[in-house]
Each structure stands twice: as structure tokens, then as C-alpha cells.
Amino acid sequence: MNNTPKMVDENSSAAATTTVSHHHDASLYDDDGRPKRKGTVWTTSSHIITAVIGSGVLSLAWSIAQLGWIAGPIVMIFFSLVTLYTSYFLADSYRVGDPVTGKRSYTYMEAIGNILGGKNFIFCGIMQYMNLYGTAIGYTIGAAMSMMAITKTDCIHSSHGKNSCHVSGNRYIIWFGAIQLLFSQIPNFHKMGLLSILAAVMSFTYSLIGLALGIAQISENGTFKGTIAGAEAETQAKKVWAIFQALGNIAFAYSYSNILIEIQDTIKSPFEVRTMKTATNVSIATTTAFYVLCGCIGYGAFGNSAPGNLLTAFDKPFWLIDIANLALVIHLVGAYQVYSQPLFAFVEEQATKRWQVTGKEHKIQIPFLPSYNLNTFRLVWRSLFVVVTTFIAMLVPFFNDILGVIGALGFWPLTVYFPVEMYIKQKKMPKWSGSWIFLQSLSMFCLLVTVAAMIGSVVGIIVDLGAYKPFSASL
């Protein structure tokens, strides 16, 4: 076995592997020495649904507008089926070898290292962390747009609709970055329980408000808007780019495969695989129904003019829209950290291995609060991370384009390629067999979809940059 997977094994053992023999009561611990896992179908389903339903839901109406009434829902169902299918493969990859007694993998990257190893481990790390970094940029833009929307809605209401209320966005991007400077000093993922729960509640809050407002708008219109072919464009090429970008946005809405192994690690033994597959069925069905409903209601309400962020289309009742946008901001504060903490941990772990001094902490007493362990490297590196993401968000504040790029980066490698390759390796599937040909064909097709989504999103950024002055975001 090569050096890279060995490094993964050592990390996992150092992190949490205490042998059962060291404990007084072995019945309280699983086969790896960790406390008994208690996850069920319902807790696992809730974890998945919470992870999936996020700010990507707000761009679905725009995505359907580019695809039209027929292609839009079909594409969403296609992505859901691919995600469901490959999630089964990930469930089978939680343990190496025997599905009941085999060695556990605690993270997505560790599963890649244990099963595929070598260059696949490195490629996975690059794609996963690029995806996480891009998500932080996208969330910064999304939060700023919602803060801008609150200001604009209140301005329109106070002027009784007489003022168009142009709002500049840079200060809101900077405000969000300032908030993240503070929260980024949370030491690790395990200290984020309350923030994650609050973020999950907020995600359902603004999604349901957006859905309710869309239904009310359709009722006011007296009809469903939209067309079979979707929004028109100035040229055929621009129409193609918009369709490709919509594919990336929908892929982003389903981009959660890189945390499924972590979720499976919470399930009660020895039923991890069966429970995970059942929970995946429940959560993907629930999420897809919710996505199709939100996307179609948003498109039906605004037709081909559906905005990239659905909440920005409403201006009354202003108080309800403010609640939705505030919920989105709070959710993105937590979501930013959820997606950034794995990257923080990876960089700090590698730095400590090379330069032990970077792991040194200094205890600081804070009046009326528990003491805080200050790490100079963590303070500088994480602050620099937030500053750079904030700068890029100000430079390229294109919510839909960024989501498309992130979705494209994550969909094929993390949702399709690695799960398929791990499944083939685990099952010792012979080359050129019927199953092997089918899985490789699926992987290649999804690669083409990913390339198309990436091209469309990059072209979208280039086109937007042509008519945009840097650092002048507005709503």
C-alpha cells in the first residue's frame, strides 16, 4: 500500500481509536473503540435533508426558466436519480471489504485513500477542497444579496413604492466577511453544534417562506407563467450557455456526497449500509419533491423573468420577506463554517506535521467567558482565508455563475466518479463486463454534463464581467 493511504490510517487512529479493551464496559463501545453509535433511519434522513436543502434552492426557479416547463423538472429528477444511485455506492464504501466487520472510513477522503489510494486520494483532496472554497465564496455573495434585499425592501416600503431604492453591495459583503472573521476562530467542527442546528432551522424557514410567497404570486397573477422552451436569449449561443449554467446550479443543489460517509459514521452497528440506503431513499425523495415544488412554483410565479435568487423578486409583505432574508443570512453564516471547517482542519493538520510550532496554543482569559486557546497560525491563516474569499466575492459577485462553477466542480468527481470507482473496486468487477460498461458509460455521460455546466458558468462570468465594473455590486 502506498504512503498516502497509510497517512490516512494513522490520522484516523490518532484522532479517535481507543481500543475497547481499555474500557470497563465493552458493550458501550463499537468495534473501533468509539462510543456506541445510535443513529437511525430518521436521524440519518434528517442529517441528509439538512445538508442538502440550502441556498441552492433559491436558484432553482431561474434554472427551470432556462430549461422550460418540460426539460426543467426532468433534469432535476435526473440529477436526483444519479445522486441516489451513486449514494448507494458510497454506502457500500463505508467499510473496506466486509460490509459488517471491515475497517471503517470516517471521512470521504479516508474512504478514497483506503479503497483507491494513490493519485485518486490526491485528486479527491484537490476537488473536494476547491469545492469547499468555492462554496464559501458563493455563500458570501448570497448572504450579501439577502442583506441588500432587506435594505431595498424596507426602502421601497418606507417610500410607498415611489423610490426604486438602488442598493450598493460592497459594504454588505464586507460585513459578512467581518462576521466570518469572528466565527472562523471556532477551533473545530465539533464545537459548532448549536450554530449548525440554528443554520438548519433557518434553511427551512426561508425555503418555506419563498414557497409560500411564490404560491401567493401565482394566485395574484391568476395563472402559471413560463413556456415550454424556457427563457429566450439574444443569440442561440447565449441560450446554450444559460442552459449549461442551469445544469451547474441544479448540480450544486444536490452537492452533498462529500459528507455522506461522515453521516453514515453516526449509524448504529451493524446496520450501517441498510440504514444508510433506506435513509437515502427517504431524504432524496423528500428533497426532490421539495426542489421540484420550489423551482416550479417560482417559475410559475415569475416565468422567464425568474431571478437568480428567488427572494429578491418579492417586495411585499415586506416584514415576511425581511424574515426570509434574515433567515438566509443566519443560515449562510453557519453554512460558511460547515463547509470551511474541513478545509481549515486539513491545512492546519498538514502545517503542524511540517512545523510543529504552528500547533502551539496560548490560553487567554476572557472576562465573564470561558478561557480561549489562541493559536497564532490559526488566527492568521483563517483570517487570510476569510479576507481572500470576501475580496473575490466583491470582485465577482455573480451568485448564479458562482453556484454553477461550484456545482460543476463537485458533481462528476465527488458525486459520480469516485463512488463508481470505489464500488467497482470493492465488488472486484471485471473490466468490459456488462455492469462495468454501464457504470463507466454513466460516469462519462456525467462528465460531459459537468464539462457543459462548467463551460456555461465560466462563460456567464465572462459575459457578466464585460458589462460590470469590479467592486460595484448592487441590487
Side-chain angles (χ1 to χ4, degrees), residues 299-353:
Y299 184 44
F302 297 101
N304 294 336
S305 61
N309 181 337
L310 184 60
L311 292 180
T312 62
F314 303 101
D315 55 21
K316 59 182 180 180
F318 82 99
W319 58 270
L320 186 59
I321 298 165
D322 282 354
I323 290 174
N325 279 301
L326 180 60
L328 177 55
V329 173
I330 294 172
H331 167 246
L332 292 181
V333 168
Y336 184 107
Q337 288 302 315
V338 168
Y339 279 88
S340 298
Q341 284 289 340
L343 180 54
F344 292 160
F346 175 77
V347 171
E348 288 157 18
E349 181 184 351
Q350 297 305 312
T352 303
K353 284 181 178 179

Side-chain angles (χ1 to χ4, degrees), residues 74 86 110 139 207 242 248:
I74 290 176
T86 56
E110 191 171 341
Y139 283 172
S207 297

Side-chain angles (χ1 to χ4, degrees), residues 17 33 35 53 72 77 82 92 119 124 136-137 184 190 222 273 279-280 288 309 324 374 376 381 413 423 439 445:
T17 306
I53 297 179
I77 292 172
V82 170
D92 289 327
K119 294 180 180 178
C124 172
I137 296 171
S184 67
H190 301 286
V273 174
T280 299
T288 301
N309 181 337
L374 176 66
T376 304
W381 135 247
Y423 182 77
L439 290 176
F445 177 76

Side-chain angles (χ1 to χ4, degrees), residues 14-333:
T17 306
T18 306
T19 58
V20 176
S21 61
H22 292 168
H23 299 294
H24 297 295
D25 188 354
S27 66
L28 297 177
Y29 300 89
D30 277 328
D31 55 359
D32 60 348
R34 294 190 173 191
K36 279 284 186 182
R37 295 159 175 86
K38 300 178 181 179
T40 64
V41 169
W42 301 114
T43 60
T44 306
S45 298
S46 66
H47 285 320
I48 297 174
I49 293 171
T50 299
V52 177
I53 297 179
S55 60
V57 70
L58 299 176
S59 69
L60 294 178
W62 180 89
S63 298
I64 292 183
Q66 310 314 307
L67 299 166
W69 272 119
I70 295 178
I74 290 176
V75 168
M76 291 178 69
I77 292 172
F78 165 76
F79 275 97
S80 71
L81 291 176
V82 170
T83 303
L84 176 67
Y85 191 46
T86 56
S87 293
Y88 289 168
F89 299 161
L90 278 176
D92 289 327
S93 302
Y94 172 63
R95 288 183 181 267
V96 180
D98 190 279
V100 176
T101 61
K103 182 182 183 302
R104 299 172 187 262
S105 296
Y106 301 112
T107 67
Y108 190 99
M109 278 191 68
E110 191 171 341
I112 300 296
N114 289 334
I115 298 174
L116 299 178
K119 294 180 180 178
N120 285 289
F121 178 82
I122 297 172
F123 178 52
C124 172
I126 292 172
M127 298 310 299
Q128 184 175 10
Y129 293 127
M130 283 178 63
N131 186 269
L132 295 176
Y133 191 79
T135 300
I137 296 171
Y139 283 172
T140 301
I141 297 169
M145 288 180 65
S146 286
M147 288 188 276
M148 292 159 63
I150 291 173
T151 302
K152 185 167 185 173
T153 300
D154 291 349
C155 174
I156 292 174
H157 175 73
S158 61
S159 68
H160 303 287
K162 297 177 181 178
N163 191 340
S164 61
C165 299
H166 180 83
V167 180
S168 176
N170 282 341
R171 60 174 174 169
Y172 298 101
I173 295 176
I174 293 172
W175 284 356
F176 186 79
I179 294 171
Q180 293 304 335
L181 281 174
L182 175 64
F183 281 104
S184 67
Q185 295 309 311
I186 296 175
N188 54 58
F189 196 88
H190 301 286
K191 303 291 185 181
M192 290 183 51
L194 291 177
L195 184 61
S196 295
I197 292 171
L198 178 61
V201 172
M202 292 299 103
S203 70
F204 276 100
T205 299
Y206 67 72
S207 297
L208 291 173
I209 289 176
L211 181 61
L213 290 173
I215 293 172
Q217 184 65 47
I218 291 173
S219 178
E220 183 180 320
N221 296 342
T223 184
F224 277 83
K225 293 186 177 181
T227 60
I228 298 297
E232 296 181 355
E234 296 176 6
T235 65
Q236 191 65 31
K238 287 185 177 181
K239 174 66 175 178
V240 172
W241 302 142
I243 290 174
F244 286 173
Q245 185 181 335
L247 295 177
N249 285 10
I250 295 173
F252 175 79
Y254 280 101
S255 60
Y256 66 98
S257 296
N258 53 350
I259 63 169
L260 284 188
I261 296 292
E262 287 84 343
I263 292 174
Q264 190 165 348
D265 192 45
T266 67
I267 298 173
K268 183 188 301 182
S269 297
F271 310 112
E272 300 102 342
V273 174
R274 186 177 68 188
T275 300
M276 191 65 191
K277 290 183 177 180
T278 302
T280 299
N281 290 336
V282 172
S283 55
I284 292 292
T286 303
T287 302
T288 301
F290 191 70
Y291 275 6
V292 171
L293 188 59
C294 286
C296 290
I297 290 296
Y299 184 44
F302 297 101
N304 294 336
S305 61
N309 181 337
L310 184 60
L311 292 180
T312 62
F314 303 101
D315 55 21
K316 59 182 180 180
F318 82 99
W319 58 270
L320 186 59
I321 298 165
D322 282 354
I323 290 174
N325 279 301
L326 180 60
L328 177 55
V329 173
I330 294 172
H331 167 246
L332 292 181
V333 168

